[in-house]
Amino acid sequence: MKTLSENRAFGGVQGVYTHASDACGCDMTFGLFLPEAAQEGPVPVLWYLSGLTCTHENAMVKAGAQQWAAEQGIAVVFPDTSPRGKGVADDAAYDLGQGAGFYVNATEAPWSKHFRMWDYVAEELPRLLFNAFPVAEELQAISGHSMGGHGALTLAMAFPGRFRSVSAFAPIAHPAASDWGRKQFTAYLGADETKWAAHDATLLMKKRGFDGPLLIDQGTSDQFIDLLMPEALISAIATRRQPATFRMQKGYDHSYFFVSTFMEDHMAFHADALFA
Amino acid sequence: MKTLSENRAFGGVQGVYTHASDACGCDMTFGLFLPEAAQEGPVPVLWYLSGLTCTHENAMVKAGAQQWAAEQGIAVVFPDTSPRGKGVADDAAYDLGQGAGFYVNATEAPWSKHFRMWDYVAEELPRLLFNAFPVAEELQAISGHSMGGHGALTLAMAFPGRFRSVSAFAPIAHPAASDWGRKQFTAYLGADETKWAAHDATLLMKKRGFDGPLLIDQGTSDQFIDLLMPEALISAIATRRQPATFRMQKGYDHSYFFVSTFMEDHMAFHADALFA
């Protein structure tokens, strides 16, 4: 693992690191904010998964997470959204290929060689993180934005007991029924839709739910709201009697201005669960 | 004037607008955050001037100003750092030409045709702002980062009574004596150094000072600290008995992580002056 940069921020350190990834078969870069409290021992960690077109960097510089993470004494990890590089398959569309991994293990050519983002964020990066940094494996929470909200919700429901809490900003909530999902799942996972169910937050909510607190924010003026399908997920939440807070935020769109506006609330929400 | 975008943020609106500039002879773009309070009437306004290579956008998305501006009920305007476009002179170096206007009116060819950033931020943009938006001309404050800190300090001292308060993050503090200044002032203003004095915060501090509160933050690990010369300005401040707060912040560098870390303090500092 190589350190690309470390900047002092809010009393802690915002680092960027790169490493050879076995899961993805290429070098992968991630950001990690360690609060000052990490100098004294392992701290809780929040996974923040980003959306389409983002690298590890977008949320790291635009979501305003560090200040609240510093205040709460929580580390935040910002993984990339896909494998990258010259030898890695790609597509001209912004929503397929590099920058659009959808947090799945692709089984179909040409994607299956590198696009194993599920293994990367669920197994490989956690191992690396807990070995190399003062973060507490038993105190994890997860969040994300848009495609990253989809990733956060599906990971949280896939690994009961791993995450104390889950939140999402304008998540892709029902990809198996949306143009943000069907195209990518067909490409990455193939045409058999039964294989998609493990990666659809609405279907997982119907089947499993989440054993812990759940927070979702969605802007009413989100330009992508028809693709996100929040109504499907909230309906599943209500039907299941899943404890959750779902907020439709008046006038907000899909941008980082929306994410940064509500970041304080999300960090406080996760802190409540992590320090309970 | 044309609206390029408006995003809801922290209960207010982050807008981006473009307009034909007489001062610069080209289209100019700026960001303006209006807090929710602006719906009820004119609010105070903080000018935030950015540094080398920045457009109107960098601080707008990375400095974390909006949340504190929203809390305090202050508008924030983010001007660009130079004229831009195909017909506008430029230089291959990052620190001369487009993205590096240094907030002066160039008198030398080829810069004098468009590089009139002093007139732009001191006269033209204020007129446009006070005509078109609910911001209070009698309640202005000014801040900036690096080259923008230089701009903020020189504007504040050039127009006594206009700004209630001035602050700077790692300002270029003595450009007439630094490689961040001598090169640009020679290009823009010519070799006669007497013409530079009006654009050097240290020389202005010796001659005039500022009639109001002044706050400067500087990181001890700033990779550009030798070019910034904070010691020259703080010496002038001390010699003059200028009321000021100057903070050397341990371990911080020149990045937006430094700026965003201390933005809350700067906004509270300006709010104290604006709402006094």
Side-chain angles (χ1 to χ4, degrees):
Chain A
M1 191 175 61
K2 206 173 103 184
T3 300
L4 296 185
S5 64
E6 288 185 331
N7 296 92
R8 196 148 190 78
F10 295 96
V13 176
Q14 176 61 60
V16 178
Y17 310 94
T18 190
H19 66 105
S21 163
D22 287 335
C24 296
C26 62
D27 286 350
M28 292 293 285
T29 299
F30 66 95
L32 175 67
F33 174 73
L34 285 176
E36 191 171 15
Q39 293 174 12
E40 286 149 37
V43 294
V45 58
L46 174 69
W47 291 82
Y48 183 93
L49 304 185
S50 290
L52 288 166
T53 77
C54 289
T55 68
H56 69 282
E57 191 180 25
N58 302 62
M60 197 183 95
V61 300
K62 298 204 291 186
Q66 292 88 353
Q67 59 185 303
W68 311 118
E71 191 174 301
Q72 302 284 1
I74 297 173
V76 186
V77 56
F78 303 93
D80 202 346
T81 59
S82 79
R84 293 181 192 273
K86 280 198 169 174
V88 176
D90 202 3
D91 188 278
Y94 75 98
D95 60 357
L96 188 68
Q98 296 187 32
F102 266 79
Y103 307 101
V104 300
N105 290 334
T107 55
E108 306 301 299
W111 310 108
S112 54
K113 190 175 173 193
H114 296 285
F115 283 71
R116 303 186 61 81
M117 285 302 291
W118 182 267
D119 282 355
Y120 179 68
V121 297
E123 304 300 340
E124 185 178 34
L125 186 54
R127 275 201 311 275
L128 185 153
L129 209 62
F130 298 123
N131 283 333
F133 297 98
V135 286
E137 185 166 0
E138 70 280 14
L139 293 172
Q140 296 183 66
I142 191 163
S143 183
H145 174 217
S146 195
M147 178 182 75
H150 144 75
L153 291 165
T154 52
L155 280 159
M157 288 186 272
F159 296 102
R162 178 182 294 196
F163 301 101
R164 297 283 182 103
S165 47
V166 59
S167 77
F169 301 85
I172 297 179
H174 192 16
S178 163
D179 283 345
W180 268 0
R182 296 189 61 82
K183 169 185 169 182
Q184 294 84 357
F185 286 0
T186 303
Y188 296 146
L189 304 174
D192 177 0
E193 297 191 21
T194 62
K195 295 184 179 163
W196 300 1
H199 298 286
D200 183 295
T202 296
L203 299 178
L204 283 168
M205 181 57 66
K206 287 181 181 171
K207 190 174 163 197
R208 297 188 178 184
F210 177 71
D211 182 22
L214 164 61
L215 169 64
I216 297 173
D217 273 313
Q218 171 65 55
T220 62
S221 298
D222 191 315
Q223 61 270 46
F224 302 113
I225 197 166
D226 291 342
L227 292 162
L228 300 170
M229 303 185 68
E231 66 284 356
L233 178 57
I234 193 57
S235 167
I237 285 171
T239 303
R240 189 181 183 81
R241 314 322 192 207
Q242 164 76 44
T245 299
F246 173 78
R247 309 189 299 187
M248 289 292 280
Q249 301 285 7
K250 186 178 176 185
Y252 286 86
D253 59 30
H254 201 67
S255 70
Y256 275 100
F257 292 114
F258 158 67
V259 173
S260 60
T261 296
F262 298 104
M263 184 56 78
E264 180 180 12
D265 292 354
H266 283 243
M267 203 65 75
F269 162 80
H270 290 295
D272 279 351
L274 291 165
F275 294 109
Chain B
M1 191 175 62
K2 206 174 103 185
T3 301
L4 296 186
S5 63
E6 287 185 333
N7 297 91
R8 196 146 190 80
F10 295 96
V13 175
Q14 176 62 60
V16 178
Y17 310 94
T18 189
H19 65 105
S21 163
D22 288 336
C24 295
C26 63
D27 285 349
M28 292 293 285
T29 300
F30 65 96
L32 175 66
F33 175 73
L34 285 176
E36 190 172 14
Q39 293 175 12
E40 286 149 37
V43 293
V45 58
L46 175 68
W47 292 81
Y48 184 93
L49 304 184
S50 290
L52 288 166
T53 75
C54 290
T55 69
H56 69 282
E57 192 181 22
N58 303 63
M60 197 182 95
V61 299
K62 298 204 290 185
Q66 292 89 351
Q67 59 185 304
W68 312 118
E71 191 174 301
Q72 302 285 0
I74 296 173
V76 186
V77 55
F78 303 92
D80 203 345
T81 60
S82 79
R84 294 182 191 272
K86 280 198 170 174
V88 176
D90 202 4
D91 188 278
Y94 75 96
D95 60 357
L96 188 68
Q98 296 187 32
F102 265 80
Y103 306 101
V104 301
N105 289 333
T107 55
E108 308 300 298
W111 310 108
S112 54
K113 189 174 175 194
H114 295 284
F115 282 72
R116 301 186 63 81
M117 285 302 291
W118 182 267
D119 282 356
Y120 179 68
V121 296
E123 304 300 340
E124 186 179 34
L125 186 53
R127 274 201 311 276
L128 185 153
L129 208 62
F130 298 123
N131 283 332
F133 297 98
V135 286
E137 184 166 1
E138 69 281 13
L139 293 172
Q140 296 183 67
I142 192 164
S143 183
H145 174 217
S146 196
M147 179 181 75
H150 144 75
L153 291 164
T154 54
L155 280 160
M157 288 187 271
F159 295 103
R162 179 182 294 195
F163 301 102
R164 298 282 182 103
S165 47
V166 59
S167 76
F169 300 84
I172 297 179
H174 193 15
S178 164
D179 283 344
W180 268 2
R182 297 189 60 83
K183 168 185 168 180
Q184 294 84 356
F185 286 0
T186 302
Y188 296 146
L189 304 174
D192 178 1
E193 296 192 20
T194 61
K195 294 181 180 165
W196 301 0
H199 297 287
D200 183 294
T202 296
L203 300 178
L204 282 168
M205 181 55 67
K206 287 182 180 169
K207 191 174 162 195
R208 297 186 179 184
F210 177 70
D211 183 22
L214 165 59
L215 169 64
I216 297 173
D217 274 313
Q218 171 64 56
T220 62
S221 298
D222 192 315
Q223 60 270 47
F224 302 113
I225 197 165
D226 292 342
L227 292 163
L228 300 171
M229 302 185 71
E231 66 284 357
L233 177 57
I234 193 59
S235 168
I237 285 171
T239 303
R240 188 182 183 80
R241 319 312 196 213
Q242 164 76 43
T245 299
F246 174 77
R247 309 189 297 188
M248 290 291 281
Q249 301 284 8
K250 186 177 175 184
Y252 287 87
D253 58 31
H254 200 67
S255 70
Y256 275 100
F257 293 114
F258 158 67
V259 173
S260 60
T261 297
F262 298 105
M263 184 57 78
E264 180 180 13
D265 292 353
H266 283 242
M267 203 65 76
F269 163 81
H270 290 295
D272 280 349
L274 290 165
F275 294 109

